[in-house]
Amino acid sequence: MTPPSSDRRIEDYALIGDLQTAALVERGGSIDWLCFPRFDSDACFAALLGTADNGRWLVAPTSGGRTSRRYLHDTMVLETTWENDEGAIRVIDFMPPRGEAPDVVRIVEGVSGRVEVRSELVIRFDYGRIVPWVRRQGDDRVAIAGPHALYLRTPAHTFGEEMTTVSEFTVDEGERMPFVLTWNPSHLPPPKPVEPEVALADTESYWREWNARSTAPEECRRSLMVLKTLTYAPTGGIVAAPTTSLPEAIGGPRNWDYRYCWLRDATLTLLALMQCGYEDEARAWRAWLLRAVAGDADDLQIMYGLAGERRLTEFEVPWLDGYAGSRPVRVGNAASEQLQLDVYGEITDALYQSHEHGLVLGHDAWQLELNLLDSLERRWEEPDEGIWEVRGGRRHFVHSKVMAWVAFDRAVRAVESQGVEGPVERWRAIRQRIHDEVCERGFDAELRSFTQSYGSQELDASLLLIPLVGFLPADDPRVIGTVEAIERTLLRDGFVLRYLAPDGLEGDEGVFLPCSFWLCDCYELLGRHDDAHELFERLLGLANDVGLLAEEYDPRAERQLGNFPQAFTHLALVNTAFNVRPHLPSTMHHRRPGHV
């Protein structure tokens, strides 16, 4: 009953999660992706990247029907309504915020008529490879393989059929049939049963209370809930996405594992959370950031694991065919070993902005920042791999140099306004030296634009950040020329590509949605308010029916691309909303403390 991955668009999925892991639910009623017990654990449902035989859980009317879906207002509780000639049902899917063990709860409710329903549970541990031992244990069905155990609890009759746990039942109007799937370490006693209706009420209350703290405009609410769902609650880390290997072009090899925490998101995350009233979450993210980067400043990585793990070894999973035949499927991310100098600027800017918004920096945090600045002082003149993690060799990327400037600029301003001490005159001199070099070597007079790297004539959407971080004002002719050059070169159907230059990788990619939000921000700074608002509304219109966005988009095929949902995109949406809405405080005002 589950369509092949080639027929399931990325935007056909909705997200549920428990603040430690997450699942993707396809509009046809199949949970096709789920990793237990953490975001970055092995998947037990991997049909998203293969077939139903690689694991999934389908709950749907036996005879199918028409579907519609929504999140219950201000929650991450998903409600899918099915209608066919027999009548109508609702399937309510959610994951309660983590208690002793992680649970997926599915409640089938009769709306009208008498509908026959079928549940097909296919458990395959280790990314769809290992068939577990399934047995009855009292009223439970228990699937065990190695360290993992999954318990299925339901009043419905279950039976085995071709290595699938099946239930067939009917629901009349007003009847409800619950299912609970719980993960537990296989060596421990069974987890305590969950009362489905109580868990539903508790989950709805949790999300509504969390949303009640928000000061965000309505168009930001779902994005903020996505960011919260992608937060690993024990540490405060926020994963870039809950998936791996969703392709940047259908059938291509640009398939990466995004179930980790990127430092490039640091400032945007803090601004989004603090602007919207979520100080506790901002404080937890900053604490994760400080723990992750502690140690030798020369060993700074661009990304870390959920608890700050450094070793994110990349390997391929050959038994999965990949989403719509997009191979290889990868686990881990070798880009974690790259040198990206821009992350020094992201960390320093994040710490500066958090202090400006009322989070006390603390002596130890400032000492850590001093160590990072000492390292950057030695290294800023080196080439690196750049923000986009190219695998074609190191270059002098302009964006990396601009963010090195940001690091010293924010350090200077911290001394000037935040009561900390440091070698401010030396930092001012380095800041000026970087600024002069970028303006001399990173600007092409013929193009009237900054370029991707020194000596190149290629454009790069990361150059849109030059006015947003305060390196130059928006009305500087060099900024105006850069925006115009990007419009001429990188716009596709009104949205922004990252770059055109070869990057050492095969295949193409779609337009990059965070970069398109950056163009909105630049339009607003340039006084092109109508252009900013028009593009912002178009970007909002790319979200799927439940408000979720991936990393990229194919405007020709009109479909989302890349890992999903993508924190970077939703962060950019929230911050741009504050920039283009005249009644809201601009995040650019806070990110642009001035220029030299």
Side-chain angles (χ1 to χ4, degrees):
M1 296 177 66
T2 303
S5 63
S6 58
D7 296 331
R8 288 176 278 130
R9 291 182 170 231
I10 290 170
E11 57 266 34
D12 286 338
Y13 287 91
L15 176 74
I16 58 175
D18 69 353
L19 311 183
Q20 294 191 39
T21 191
L24 292 188
V25 188
E26 198 264 340
R27 66 172 68 251
S30 181
I31 298 179
D32 287 346
W33 183 253
L34 174 61
C35 302
F36 273 143
R38 303 188 347 165
F39 291 105
D40 58 351
S41 298
D42 297 356
C44 60
F45 299 154
L48 177 68
L49 301 177
T51 69
D53 290 336
N54 297 123
R56 62 97 173 89
W57 185 9
L58 175 69
V59 175
T62 304
S63 56
R66 301 175 301 279
T67 65
S68 60
R69 60 184 181 172
R70 62 169 185 159
Y71 285 113
L72 298 184
H73 183 63
D74 279 348
T75 76
M76 291 299 292
V77 176
L78 180 68
E79 178 187 87
T80 303
T81 300
W82 290 82
E83 297 179 88
N84 59 27
D85 293 340
E86 299 173 352
I89 65 168
R90 295 190 189 99
V91 179
I92 301 167
D93 292 323
F94 64 97
M95 296 180 71
R98 184 75 60 93
E100 292 185 6
D103 309 286
V104 175
V105 182
R106 313 193 78 176
I107 299 174
V108 182
E109 177 186 13
V111 177
S112 64
R114 182 178 176 83
V115 181
E116 184 176 310
V117 181
R118 181 177 171 93
S119 167
E120 298 177 358
L121 176 62
V122 181
I123 298 170
R124 299 290 184 268
F125 294 113
D126 191 25
Y127 299 100
R129 188 173 67 92
I130 295 178
V131 179
W133 172 37
V134 180
R135 71 187 196 279
R136 290 190 181 275
Q137 185 173 307
D139 294 331
D140 302 340
R141 280 269 183 168
V142 185
I144 292 178
H148 303 289
L150 281 173
Y151 291 76
L152 177 65
R153 289 160 170 158
T154 177
H157 172 66
T158 62
F159 59 93
E161 181 182 284
E162 297 181 351
M163 295 187 291
T164 300
T165 300
V166 178
S167 296
E168 292 179 337
F169 56 96
T170 58
V171 288
D172 293 312
E173 181 177 342
E175 289 185 341
R176 291 163 79 93
M177 179 65 73
F179 294 80
V180 180
L181 186 68
T182 304
W183 179 90
N184 205 49
S186 60
H187 65 281
L188 294 181
K192 294 179 181 178
V194 169
E195 171 51 52
E197 298 293 347
V198 173
L200 175 60
D202 290 346
T203 303
E204 289 187 63
S205 295
Y206 173 87
W207 282 107
R208 286 174 177 152
E209 290 171 6
W210 187 82
N211 266 297
R213 295 160 49 199
S214 176
T215 58
E218 187 61 34
E219 62 260 49
C220 295
R221 292 291 182 94
R222 184 56 56 192
S223 291
L224 288 164
M225 281 185 269
V226 169
L227 297 176
K228 180 64 172 177
T229 305
L230 298 182
T231 300
Y232 184 65
T235 66
I238 300 176
V239 296
T243 57
T244 179
S245 300
L246 288 179
E248 297 173 5
I250 302 299
R254 294 172 179 259
N255 317 316
W256 315 110
D257 193 345
Y258 274 20
R259 297 172 298 158
Y260 308 111
C261 307
W262 264 256
L263 299 189
R264 72 178 182 194
D265 301 349
T267 302
L268 284 176
T269 301
L270 281 163
L271 286 173
L273 293 172
M274 291 185 293
Q275 287 282 88
C276 297
Y278 293 112
E279 184 175 306
D280 289 344
E281 285 77 5
R283 185 178 289 107
W285 167 249
R286 191 185 68 172
W288 173 89
L289 180 68
L290 291 171
R291 291 193 304 271
V293 304
D296 188 344
D298 288 342
D299 291 334
L300 185 66
Q301 295 187 182
I302 67 169
M303 71 182 85
Y304 295 86
L306 306 178
E309 297 91 345
R310 290 173 173 263
R311 187 167 296 157
L312 310 178
T313 305
E314 182 179 304
F315 61 92
E316 296 181 3
V317 182
W319 57 87
L320 289 176
D321 292 333
Y323 174 87
S326 306
R327 304 181 75 175
V329 171
R330 294 182 174 94
V331 172
N333 200 311
S336 60
E337 301 172 7
Q338 290 186 349
L339 172 64
Q340 293 182 20
L341 294 172
D342 61 290
V343 297
Y344 287 88
E346 291 294 354
I347 297 168
T348 307
D349 194 20
L351 297 178
Y352 174 84
Q353 300 294 348
S354 67
H355 192 282
E356 288 292 291
H357 284 76
L359 300 184
V360 177
L361 185 60
H363 173 77
D364 290 344
W366 179 243
Q367 290 302 310
L368 176 61
E369 190 169 341
L370 290 175
N371 291 336
L372 292 172
L373 290 164
D374 285 344
S375 176
L376 183 60
E377 185 174 349
R378 296 190 303 271
R379 308 186 73 182
W380 73 266
E381 294 178 282
E382 297 178 22
D384 70 345
E385 275 93 358
I387 184 177
W388 305 130
E389 299 157 19
V390 300
R391 301 194 179 192
R394 294 182 178 181
R395 288 177 255 166
H396 291 285
F397 286 98
V398 169
H399 171 263
S400 297
K401 306 301 185 186
V402 168
M403 293 308 296
W405 175 91
V406 166
F408 291 105
D409 178 77
R410 303 310 189 256
V412 168
R413 295 179 186 282
V415 171
E416 292 174 341
S417 65
Q418 297 179 354
V420 294
E421 295 182 358
V424 67
E425 291 303 325
R426 190 169 83 238
W427 290 341
R428 286 194 183 103
I430 298 169
R431 178 179 66 174
Q432 187 64 55
R433 184 177 165 194
I434 297 172
H435 197 277
D436 291 344
E437 180 180 292
V438 170
C439 291
E440 177 183 351
R441 300 182 62 189
F443 184 79
D444 187 288
E446 180 181 342
L447 295 175
R448 292 185 296 110
S449 172
F450 287 96
T451 60
Q452 184 181 57
S453 60
Y454 291 172
S456 166
Q457 285 201 319
E458 300 293 342
L459 275 294
D460 189 310
S462 64
L463 301 170
L464 294 169
L465 292 171
I466 286 174
L468 304 186
V469 300
F471 184 82
L472 285 173
D475 59 1
D476 188 289
R478 293 165 292 185
V479 171
I480 295 171
T482 299
V483 172
E484 291 174 347
I486 287 173
E487 288 179 300
R488 290 192 305 270
T489 306
L490 298 182
L491 278 188
R492 293 294 181 272
D493 298 288
F495 303 109
V496 183
L497 293 168
R498 292 190 296 178
Y499 51 80
L500 296 177
D503 58 7
L505 298 168
E506 297 179 1
D508 298 319
E509 64 178 25
V511 296
F512 199 74
L513 298 182
C515 296
S516 300
F517 283 108
W518 297 345
L519 183 59
C520 282
D521 298 333
C522 287
Y523 283 159
E524 190 66 21
L525 284 176
L526 290 166
R528 297 171 57 178
H529 306 302
D530 290 345
D531 291 335
H533 295 175
E534 189 273 336
L535 179 53
F536 185 61
E537 293 300 328
R538 288 188 65 205
L539 286 163
L540 291 180
L542 300 184
N544 72 357
D545 56 319
V546 289
L548 306 184
L549 288 161
E551 180 182 42
E552 299 184 7
Y553 182 73
D554 182 344
R556 303 292 170 83
E558 297 184 336
R559 63 185 299 174
Q560 296 193 32
L561 296 170
N563 285 300
F564 173 89
Q566 175 74 5
F568 202 21
T569 305
H570 284 281
L571 287 167
L573 186 157
V574 172
N575 284 289
T576 298
F578 278 85
N579 295 336
V580 303
R581 297 303 192 221
H583 61 285
L584 297 173
S586 169
T587 62
M588 291 186 295
H589 171 75
H590 296 296
R591 252 203 119 175
R592 297 178 63 246
H595 61 279
V596 296

